Amino acid sequence: MQKQHIQLATYSLECLNASSRHYVGGLWINRFKVGLWYYDRSCVISSLEFDFKENPEMLALVLYALSTCDDQHAGFDPYLFPCSPLPAVNVKDRKSHRHWQEVIGFTFRFLDSPIYPGPRQYRIKGTLFASRGLIGRGTMVYRVASLEDNLKEDAVEDEALKICWPHRNRKLEGDTLECLRKRLPARWHDHIPEVTYSATATAEDLRLPRVELLKLSAIKDFERKDRQLHILVMKIYKKLWEAGSVEEFMEIYLDCVECGQFSSLFVFLSLTRCALGHHASYTKGRVLHRDLSENNLMFKTAADGPKKGILNDWDLASEVEDDNEIRLSNANHRTGTLPFMARDLLVNNPPSHLYRHDLESFFYILIWAALHYDFAAGTKMSSDQVSITRTWNDDVFRRNRSAKYEFLKERKRLDEVIAAVRKGCEPLIPWIISIWRLFFIAELKMTLTNMEPIDGYDNEVAVEWDNSTLGGHVTFESFMKALGRKPRDDLEPFIRTSEISIRTH
């Protein structure tokens, strides 16, 4: 794609971001030259340009195709049906790149899937998340109401409908969640998203034009880049900052003291339970999450009253094999959300994702909560409003990585964070200090271990360094100890502090 084609790609980006559109076609016209372009979540394909002055019949063919094209052949989602009458459109909303909101009131209609019998219908009530990108997963998450069982819409509990385009050779999120439920003891099922519908469609199933186009001119190594449509419907859960009032924290604290397992603030409760669920998923479910963020740690209120942490969004997870090797992802890019990504991963060619990288992400989420959340109001500050961690959201990896290294190596950076903790979040400070000390000591030990010997004066014996746990200092066991918590009884036999080797063959 050349510089002059960027504007056409920008228009295609806007079209793909308008709801769950599958693909977009475009015309590039430069004087008498015309080129045909195709965009979807896997690739961009262009034709050779033709001169319509010399070949008017080719222009006539293009115009005829446009005049006879229906919505589905223009790339619009064949599963999405408009409401009647159509909702009013605010022109200003189009300019704000939020025109996907126009689909509110539309209905998704899906057919049978291997596990969940259909047909299924869901009315869109709102947009929970919308990604902005051309090539990639293109995730859209809607708040929907099921229209099944002849129930009135207002009598049905809202759900989250997630539409995305994962790599075709990756394990699907729905399959990962089903696998976790089979492998984990029943007591852990409350900490995993509850799926009510899941379905998948390949490019061939959807009859995407690229199937035929790539037969004419293949893209090198396209098998690794090919993506498929994945649909997932789950229960809706609440965010960490919606924990409730101070009084609720006190009640939770009393419950936790009684059972001797949990801490006082609910965000700690959710974080701890998600951390426990994360470790159970890793050791028992044999799955490593790899994309922990404040939006993926959620909670629900159980039928018997207590709130329970939910670890959500498993579409970037990797499986752990029987020999404790982490099965490498087919994706050729890093995984994670910038403010919460481990330092090691913030490089151009990131290393394999380790369990300790997820523990580091848990630490950053904890700090983020202390600096951004107002639990009593159920709100959070935007990242731009907190200067101390602003660089953690920097997409220039060098600056982001440097800021996190400084924080974990310099006491004055810790003091700055402690001073910025929001009112009402002071009980989080002991945990922040304790976990910071954990990483600080690990970094110090690593520096000493990797230090070059001083000729003639250094009698220290070289010690092999365990990078997977930073010398055994950053493990699930040490992390929980820093929180003043003892792992639950059914996790004790599964705690691993030994090296986790990464398959590279």
Side-chain angles (χ1 to χ4, degrees):
M1 185 182 296
Q2 299 178 7
K3 201 171 191 178
Q4 61 266 31
H5 298 134
I6 296 298
Q7 186 175 16
L8 182 61
T10 301
Y11 293 152
S12 299
L13 172 64
E14 292 183 10
C15 292
L16 280 176
N17 283 344
S19 181
S20 54
R21 191 164 178 171
H22 290 179
Y23 64 87
V24 176
L27 292 177
W28 168 257
I29 302 175
N30 183 13
R31 297 178 64 85
F32 296 108
K33 297 284 187 178
V34 178
L36 306 181
W37 287 74
Y38 169 87
Y39 305 83
D40 69 14
R41 296 300 183 182
S42 296
C43 63
V44 177
I45 302 174
S46 65
S47 72
L48 294 174
E49 294 182 354
F50 65 88
D51 189 317
F52 69 79
K53 187 175 181 181
E54 297 177 2
N55 304 101
E57 71 281 1
M58 297 189 71
L59 178 62
L61 183 61
V62 170
L63 295 176
Y64 174 75
L66 289 174
S67 67
T68 58
C69 183
D70 57 20
D71 285 350
Q72 182 172 349
H73 288 91
F76 290 96
D77 190 338
Y79 302 122
L80 184 62
F81 294 83
C83 57
S84 182
L86 291 173
V89 176
N90 188 331
V91 177
K92 292 182 179 179
D93 288 343
R94 291 181 179 273
K95 295 181 180 180
S96 68
H97 303 294
R98 297 184 62 85
H99 45 275
W100 54 76
Q101 297 285 1
E102 296 170 15
V103 300
I104 293 177
F106 283 36
T107 301
F108 279 108
R109 299 175 186 171
F110 302 120
L111 301 177
D112 288 343
S113 73
I115 301 178
Y116 303 93
R120 299 290 185 96
Q121 296 188 70
Y122 300 94
R123 178 73 48 79
I124 300 176
K125 301 180 71 173
T127 301
L128 299 176
F129 176 82
S131 66
R132 181 166 174 79
L134 194 57
I135 304 297
R137 287 180 292 162
T139 304
M140 301 290 292
V141 184
Y142 298 104
R143 177 183 290 272
V144 298
S146 174
L147 302 182
E148 305 304 317
D149 301 326
N150 298 319
L151 295 175
K152 292 184 178 180
E153 187 174 324
D154 55 4
V156 178
E157 183 179 353
D158 288 353
E159 297 179 287
L161 190 154
K162 179 178 182 178
I163 296 177
C164 59
W165 295 83
H167 282 108
R168 191 165 177 172
N169 50 12
R170 277 195 60 83
K171 189 166 187 174
L172 297 170
E173 182 177 9
D175 294 340
T176 297
L177 293 172
E178 181 68 19
C179 176
L180 284 171
R181 287 190 174 275
K182 289 180 179 178
R183 293 176 180 177
L184 291 175
R187 67 176 296 180
W188 293 105
H189 292 183
D190 278 342
H191 306 286
I192 300 171
E194 182 180 347
V195 177
T196 59
Y197 178 79
S198 177
T200 307
T202 65
E204 291 77 12
D205 296 332
L206 298 169
R207 298 182 180 179
L208 299 186
R210 67 172 158 86
V211 175
E212 298 300 323
L213 291 173
L214 292 178
K215 291 179 181 179
L216 302 176
S217 180
I219 296 177
K220 183 180 179 181
D221 200 23
F222 185 70
E223 291 78 11
R224 294 181 67 249
K225 304 172 184 176
D226 193 12
R227 295 176 179 272
Q228 60 185 342
L229 178 67
H230 187 44
I231 303 160
L232 207 60
V233 181
M234 301 173 287
K235 299 294 184 181
I236 289 183
Y237 304 108
K238 293 186 177 181
K239 304 290 188 179
L240 286 179
W241 56 87
E242 299 174 317
S245 66
V246 173
E247 290 75 18
E248 285 179 301
F249 293 148
M250 294 174 66
E251 292 299 322
I252 292 172
Y253 175 76
L254 292 174
D255 290 341
C256 295
V257 170
E258 186 175 4
C259 70
Q261 294 188 8
F262 299 106
S263 283
S264 56
L265 285 179
F266 175 73
V267 63
F268 279 179
L269 175 61
S270 293
L271 183 59
T272 300
R273 281 179 167 167
C274 285
L276 284 167
H278 173 263
H279 188 261
S281 300
Y282 172 65
T283 57
K284 287 186 174 184
R286 315 303 291 164
V287 176
L288 184 63
H289 191 281
R290 303 199 314 149
D291 186 23
L292 296 172
S293 74
E294 65 168 346
N295 290 315
N296 295 340
L297 301 188
M298 312 181 82
F299 74 90
K300 68 178 181 180
T301 302
D304 56 353
K307 295 182 172 71
K308 296 187 177 183
I310 303 289
L311 193 53
N312 203 8
D313 197 3
W314 290 85
D315 52 353
L316 292 179
S318 285
E319 288 195 88
V320 183
E321 301 191 343
D322 293 338
D323 56 1
N324 261 8
E325 292 183 351
I326 299 173
R327 186 179 300 172
L328 294 183
S329 165
N330 292 308
N332 56 1
H333 53 79
R334 69 188 50 77
T335 59
T337 304
L338 279 173
F340 315 108
M341 286 177 64
R343 300 153 297 160
D344 293 353
L345 305 179
L346 293 165
V347 292
N348 290 329
N349 296 303
S352 297
H353 199 114
L354 301 172
Y355 177 73
R356 68 169 171 84
H357 292 145
D358 276 10
L359 290 179
E360 189 173 336
S361 294
F362 271 117
F363 184 31
Y364 296 144
I365 293 169
L366 178 64
I367 295 169
W368 199 265
L371 302 183
H372 293 79
Y373 295 175
D374 183 339
F375 297 111
T379 60
K380 68 168 184 172
M381 299 173 66
S382 69
S383 57
D384 292 337
Q385 292 177 284
V386 181
S387 59
I388 294 177
T389 54
R390 190 175 297 157
T391 315
W392 292 11
N393 206 27
D394 197 325
D395 57 6
V396 177
F397 297 139
R398 175 180 52 80
R399 292 200 294 261
N400 192 321
R401 185 177 67 254
S402 177
K404 290 174 180 174
Y405 266 113
E406 285 184 12
F407 167 67
L408 292 176
K409 285 186 173 183
E410 299 182 15
R411 170 63 186 273
K412 65 179 182 180
R413 300 302 181 196
L414 172 64
D415 292 339
E416 291 172 355
V417 167
I418 298 303
V421 170
R422 298 195 67 181
K423 185 177 180 180
C425 293
E426 293 87 354
L428 303 179
I429 293 176
W431 275 25
I432 293 174
I433 294 174
S434 185
I435 301 176
W436 179 88
R437 185 179 289 116
L438 186 74
F439 281 95
F440 176 80
I441 293 174
E443 290 293 334
L444 182 61
K445 292 285 188 179
M446 183 171 63
T447 301
L448 293 174
T449 301
N450 295 333
M451 185 179 294
E452 292 291 332
I454 303 174
D455 294 338
Y457 296 95
D458 201 336
N459 296 321
E460 290 289 334
V461 178
V463 178
E464 185 176 351
W465 181 257
D466 176 13
N467 182 59
S468 66
T469 61
L470 291 183
H473 293 283
V474 182
T475 65
F476 169 74
E477 189 175 30
S478 64
F479 194 88
M480 295 304 294
K481 185 177 180 180
L483 299 179
R485 288 291 315 282
K486 182 180 179 182
R488 300 184 192 183
D489 292 339
D490 63 344
L491 281 181
E492 289 278 12
F494 297 92
I495 294 175
R496 303 283 197 265
T497 57
S498 59
E499 178 179 359
I500 301 167
S501 59
I502 303 299
R503 181 197 295 180
T504 56
H505 55 277

